[in-house]
Amino acid sequence: MKVRAYAKVNLALDVVSERNDGYHELEMIMAPITLHDLIYISRQKEGITISANTYLVPTDKRNIMYQVAEIMKERYHITSGINIQIYKHIPTQAGLAGGSADGAAVLRAMNKMFHLNLSLETLAAIGKEVGADIPFCVYEKMAFVDGIGEQLNFIDHDFHCYLLLVKPKKGVSTQKCFNRVNLNTAIHPDISGMKHAIECHNYQGVVDRLGNTLEQPSLEMVNDIEIIKDKMIELGFDGSLMSGSGSCVFGMTQDKDILEKGFQYFYKKYPFVRKSEILNESNRIDY
């Protein structure tokens, strides 16, 4: 079985407060994008095996795909083994939820392959046991997200724009990034205002409210983030922001010429440069 694992961007991310359990309360606008990993999953005699097109992906129990497959096998008494082949296109330590997207894709694939007929709500609950971003990746729908990232309030409105994704060579550790946040001096974007702008099809309203509390601490670790952001605006993009805890930066535009101009500028200057779009029903491809 072949399945696509779609990445995401944070159009807005606010770290609201720190919890007693060490996690942080968040409010975010998360959007799936067309950039994706390609996964082939099949039955085998026994066990769980993973192969990848890059050495950067662990193929043992450290891999999120392994962890969710193991839970599904145990919980639903699946005796068949699972073989997973993944072709990675989503970079690691980028803030694009690549690992979570892969885990969600395996959940959906196993549900279909073994005729379990589980609801997306059930798959999301299983995914939450492994990672906070997996529930969002199960649904692959734009959402207002809060809690630690597991509480989803879907925004049932299409939002169309092109994205240029540029990631510096150096990634950002999510844990280090959160540890460096100073909530007293941090920028807190207008999350509810952005949600309203999307619902009103107000593109400029979305651009005006781009913001990420985690951006400043990430800038302190990876200076290229700021360089990329500034250059995107200079090239004519309407807005630019670091996604998640970084280090990937995206530029927003509704002009294909500006998208191409940006791609040509950054191509070969940074190790990861891709053209993408916000994922809607009109540009989704399912297998």
Side-chain angles (χ1 to χ4, degrees):
M1 179 179 291
K2 183 179 177 182
V3 61
R4 295 186 179 212
Y6 287 104
K8 62 84 182 169
V9 293
N10 299 88
L11 297 176
L13 188 159
D14 185 17
V15 182
V16 178
S17 62
E18 187 171 2
R19 294 162 38 131
N20 294 329
D21 59 6
Y23 287 95
H24 290 78
E25 286 290 326
L26 306 172
E27 289 188 354
M28 301 178 283
I29 301 294
M30 293 172 65
I33 62 176
T34 55
L35 173 69
H36 61 275
D37 292 337
L38 197 57
I39 298 172
Y40 292 85
I41 182 167
S42 58
R43 300 171 188 249
Q44 63 183 18
K45 188 173 182 180
E46 60 184 11
I48 300 170
T49 55
I50 298 174
S51 60
N53 64 332
T54 171
Y55 69 91
L56 296 174
V57 175
T59 55
D60 55 18
K61 291 188 177 184
R62 293 172 296 168
N63 192 298
I64 289 175
M65 294 184 294
Y66 191 109
Q67 294 168 31
V68 298
E70 192 171 48
I71 290 173
M72 292 285 277
K73 276 175 58 64
E74 292 176 0
R75 193 158 299 173
Y76 298 101
H77 311 292
I78 297 170
T79 56
S80 171
I82 300 295
N83 176 258
I84 299 169
Q85 295 176 286
I86 181 165
Y87 294 86
K88 286 292 292 181
H89 301 289
I90 307 170
T92 58
Q93 287 196 327
L96 301 176
S100 295
D102 297 339
V106 168
L107 285 171
R108 294 194 309 271
M110 290 183 69
N111 186 38
K112 188 172 182 180
M113 180 183 295
F114 296 103
H115 309 289
L116 300 176
N117 298 316
L118 303 175
S119 66
L120 291 180
E121 183 178 5
T122 299
L123 295 178
I126 295 169
K128 181 185 171 185
E129 298 175 29
V130 178
D133 279 345
I134 297 180
F136 172 82
C137 294
V138 164
Y139 286 97
E140 293 177 333
K141 291 176 62 178
M142 186 177 290
F144 166 81
V145 184
D146 60 348
I148 61 171
E150 84 291 2
Q151 297 176 25
L152 307 175
N153 300 279
F154 297 110
I155 304 172
D156 292 319
H157 294 264
D158 282 356
F159 181 73
H160 298 278
C161 77
Y162 301 113
L163 302 173
L164 182 67
L165 306 168
V166 180
K167 181 186 178 296
K169 183 177 181 180
K170 188 176 180 182
V172 175
S173 162
T174 299
Q175 184 176 354
K176 287 182 180 179
C177 185
F178 272 99
N179 288 342
R180 290 184 177 219
V181 171
N182 182 337
L183 292 178
N184 295 321
T185 60
I187 296 171
H188 297 282
D190 181 6
I191 305 294
S192 60
M194 177 175 281
K195 178 176 180 290
H196 180 71
I198 294 169
E199 291 170 340
C200 294
H201 304 286
N202 180 1
Y203 173 75
Q204 188 59 48
V206 172
V207 170
D208 292 343
R209 290 168 176 81
L210 290 173
N212 184 345
T213 305
L214 297 177
E215 194 171 71
Q216 188 56 46
S218 294
L219 284 173
E220 296 168 4
M221 292 183 275
V222 183
N223 185 55
D224 276 342
I225 293 170
E226 188 166 23
I227 294 172
I228 294 167
K229 285 188 63 184
D230 290 346
K231 189 62 184 181
M232 284 182 169
I233 298 302
E234 184 183 323
L235 289 168
F237 285 85
D238 299 311
S240 181
L241 189 71
M242 184 190 80
S243 183
S245 58
S247 60
C248 190
V249 175
F250 64 89
M252 288 177 59
T253 181
Q254 292 183 315
D255 187 324
K256 276 191 173 182
D257 291 338
I258 289 175
L259 180 70
E260 185 61 31
K261 180 182 176 182
F263 179 80
Q264 293 301 327
Y265 176 83
F266 286 106
Y267 183 63
K268 294 186 178 179
K269 288 184 174 64
Y270 288 96
F272 177 85
V273 181
R274 295 289 188 281
K275 292 178 281 188
S276 189
E277 300 177 51
I278 299 293
L279 184 69
N280 296 288
E281 288 305 316
S282 60
N283 58 12
R284 177 191 298 272
I285 300 174
D286 292 316
Y287 290 102

